[in-house]
Every structure is written in structure tokens, then in C-alpha cells.
Amino acid sequence: MELIQMKKTWKEIAQGVIEGNPISRENALAILQAKDENILELMNAAFIIRHHYYGKKVKLNMIINTKSGLCPEDCGYCSQSIVSEAPIDRYAWLTQEKIVEGAYEAKRRKAGTYCIVASGRRPTDKEVEHVIGAVKEIRENTDLKVCCCLGFLNEDQATRLAEAGVHRYNHNLNTHVENYENICSTHTYDDRVETVEKAKGAGISPCSGAIFGMGETDEQAIDIAFELNRLNADSIPCNFLVSIKGTPLEGQEALTPLKCLKILAMMRFVNPTKEIRISGGRELNLRSLQPLGLFAANSIFVGDYLTTQGQEPTADWGIIEDLGFEIEECAL
């Protein structure tokens, strides 16, 4: 691959972004194609933008998997899909009491955002009401920002979640529109965009990101970043594929830690004012370079993910402290 010749330094481009000059697609691509030996210069430039909007604050998020497996979709990366043979726990909805208990655990882990996630294509109205009951109790008794990720929504469901006090709705684009049929056949990329728009229409803050490492090209990764900018996603989870045994993407070659850092830096340049979150696959893909990721990102998950393990919250607290950063315990 021929490297793009830069006309400005990364620091100059970063300063321009802060001054209101969006990065070009050419320069965004140059970030992904940057030489590995230039990674510190690149991350320093990303940090200039990150620090301008977020200082040294780090947002912590915690997931609760309220319904595991039993999903009719055939997403190739997912251990919960109908085509997965991965040995995971499969269970129907947790009780409202268990969901609320998870909120208090999120507080103990110093998380400011609590993410209520359920597998499946879309929730029934009864399931939405089940979540709403828990959300109302959480809102009454904590200062947590509440995020839901329940699959596709109709307009009425989105409105009811908003009225109950849900701050944010997550629905990832996952991959590039032209790569989508290689990942999933039971729904489309446009279905995902539509759900993001419905959440926005109901007044809920949109959370949407991608899973990198699923065969997308550098150019497609750039398109994803600019599409998230167009959608005005307030929170952008950057997941890195964990090729789980028993899923169609088992054996997919992992991204290198340096490539992951370049993706995070690119996402910060393209979406300078947004919450960039290092999400699933952080521990396995970034490995010993996890701390460097926070020079571009300002948010991480603490604890376990849906069906894969994270690291102990104390380890994350230690990374943040060692960097001289600080946890933003209230996300409201």
C-alpha cells in the first residue's frame, strides 16, 4: 500500500480541527496508513483534540446482559446468534430486581453510564415495559446515565423509553454498508441506520459505533467514521473483533495493537467533540498498549462484556491513575 504524503503535521491538522476545519478523507486515510514508528506523534496529536474537549476525564461504562443468546439473527461475529456454536450462557430476561442490582454494581465500579443490553432482533412491547420498570427505579435512586441496547425499535417504543428516562440508545452500524452482507443476512445496514434515527427522533442521545477487524478495508473504516459523524452519534463505541470459537468469524486474523491505536486516533480526528469509547476486544487487541488508547478515546467499559471477559475494574482504575487522568464518576 502506497503511503499518502502529508502536507501538514498531525499537530497542525489537530489544531485545525479544533478551530473548526474538519479533517479531509485523504488525511483520515493517512492516519490509518501512518508508519508504525510515527505512532507517538499521531497519538499526541489526537490527544490535543481529546484534551481540548474532555481534558483528562475518562468516562466509565458498565454493561449488564439482561437476555443472553436465543437470538434469531445470524451476525457472524456474535456468540449469541442463531448460527453460533459457542458455549455461552443462554437465558431469558433477568428480573427487574436484578437489572436494578446491576446499577448499584455500576456505581461500585465508578461507572457513570449503565448499559442495559438484551439479545434478539427487537423487543416486544411487554419487554420494553419490563425495561422501563427497572429504568424508572434506577433513575429515582441513582445519578447514573442509562443506556439501552435492545435491538430494532419502532417509534412508539423509542418514545416510551425516552419518557421513562433513558438517556441514550445504542445501536451499532457494526461495519461498512458494502461489507454488511459478509457479516449478516437476516437484516440490513439500513435497518441499523433507521433505528439510530428513531432513537434520535424520540429525543434519546444516539450511541453507535463499529466492530473493526471484520474484513473492512481502510477506506471503508474511514467511511464508517464519516457516517457516524453524519448521524451525529454522541457516543461512538470502537470495538475490535474477538474471533470467538464457534462463530462464523472464528479464526479471523486479529488487528495489531498499533492498528487499533490508529483507528482510535482516526475516529477522534473525524468526530472531535464526541465520546470515543474503547469497547469490546480492548484487552485482547490493544494488549499492553491499552493506556495509549486513552490519548485518543475518553471512555471505556469496565468489567465484562456480553459474553467475553474484561479485566478487573481495579486494573482500569490503575491505568487511569498512572496516566494522570481522572474518572468522571457522574456522566449526567
Side-chain angles (χ1 to χ4, degrees):
M1 180 184 296
E2 183 179 353
L3 295 178
I4 295 172
Q5 296 297 313
M6 298 294 297
K7 297 178 182 178
K8 294 183 178 180
T9 66
W10 295 122
K11 187 174 181 179
E12 288 171 337
I13 295 171
Q15 191 59 45
V17 167
I18 291 171
E19 293 170 358
N21 302 308
I23 190 171
S24 67
R25 287 178 180 268
E26 180 183 26
N27 284 337
L29 183 59
I31 292 175
L32 296 188
Q33 296 180 356
K35 294 180 179 179
D36 289 348
E37 55 263 38
N38 294 333
I39 194 66
L40 291 180
E41 178 186 356
L42 177 59
M43 298 309 293
N44 178 60
F47 180 68
I48 291 172
I49 302 173
R50 180 239 200 269
H51 187 269
H52 178 79
Y53 292 104
Y54 293 99
K56 294 184 177 180
K57 299 281 189 180
V58 179
K59 299 174 183 289
L60 302 186
N61 305 255
M62 195 194 91
I63 287 177
I64 184 168
N65 194 7
T66 59
K67 177 186 174 187
S68 181
L70 312 173
C71 183
E73 306 300 288
D74 67 355
C75 306
Y77 55 85
C78 185
S79 60
Q80 302 187 79
S81 79
I82 194 170
V83 296
S84 169
E85 298 177 356
I88 64 165
D89 292 334
R90 292 176 170 83
Y91 51 83
W93 286 84
L94 297 180
T95 64
Q96 289 183 354
E97 290 76 15
K98 288 290 185 183
I99 297 172
V100 173
E101 284 177 15
Y104 291 113
E105 177 60 28
K107 291 294 294 181
R108 284 190 288 272
R109 296 182 185 187
K110 303 183 181 182
T113 300
Y114 181 52
C115 307
I116 301 170
V117 184
S119 67
R121 179 179 177 84
R122 66 171 67 249
T124 65
D125 288 342
K126 183 178 179 180
E127 289 168 341
V128 169
E129 286 303 314
H130 181 74
V131 172
I132 284 173
V135 168
K136 287 182 176 179
E137 185 171 347
I138 293 167
R139 289 296 313 276
E140 288 173 0
N141 294 286
T142 76
D143 60 355
L144 286 166
K145 178 178 285 186
V146 178
C147 177
C148 288
C149 178
L150 311 175
F152 301 119
L153 294 179
N154 60 42
E155 291 177 359
D156 178 66
Q157 290 172 332
T159 298
R160 282 187 288 150
L161 288 170
E163 290 174 348
V166 172
H167 300 93
R168 181 165 283 170
Y169 197 83
N170 168 258
H171 204 69
N172 291 330
L173 300 184
N174 283 339
T175 192
H176 191 272
V177 59
E178 294 176 3
N179 192 41
Y180 212 84
E181 64 181 13
N182 298 322
I183 304 302
C184 179
S185 68
T186 49
H187 63 264
T188 67
Y189 176 90
D190 289 341
D191 290 333
R192 290 190 165 270
V193 173
E194 183 180 355
T195 292
V196 175
E197 296 287 11
K198 283 179 179 176
K200 287 170 57 180
I204 301 177
S205 169
C207 172
S208 188
I211 305 171
F212 295 98
M214 297 199 297
E216 73 282 349
T217 65
D218 283 349
E219 289 80 5
Q220 288 174 339
I222 298 302
D223 286 345
I224 293 168
F226 278 93
E227 175 66 359
L228 291 167
N229 181 282
R230 185 192 70 79
L231 288 170
N232 201 27
D234 292 325
S235 179
I236 301 176
C238 294
N239 301 275
F240 303 109
L241 179 68
V242 176
S243 55
I244 299 171
K245 186 175 182 181
T247 64
L249 290 184
E250 174 187 350
Q252 179 84 6
E253 185 177 356
L255 297 174
T256 67
L258 291 175
K259 186 69 171 186
C260 294
L261 289 177
K262 293 172 189 177
I263 290 170
L264 292 170
M266 179 273 293
M267 197 64 75
R268 172 57 68 200
F269 271 85
V270 176
N271 296 281
T273 67
K274 303 303 185 180
E275 177 183 343
I276 306 297
R277 186 186 318 145
I278 318 176
S279 301
R282 164 169 66 97
E283 299 84 355
L284 292 175
N285 286 265
L286 281 166
R287 301 198 291 274
S288 63
L289 298 189
Q290 285 187 67
L292 282 179
L294 285 174
F295 283 91
N298 64 301
S299 176
I300 58 173
F301 278 113
V302 286
D304 295 337
Y305 301 91
L306 295 176
T307 62
T308 57
Q309 288 186 327
Q311 60 191 27
E312 287 296 318
T314 51
D316 291 323
W317 300 343
I319 287 174
I320 293 166
E321 182 180 359
D322 291 347
L323 287 169
F325 292 178
E326 57 184 297
I327 296 170
E328 183 181 286
E329 293 193 40
C330 182
L332 297 179

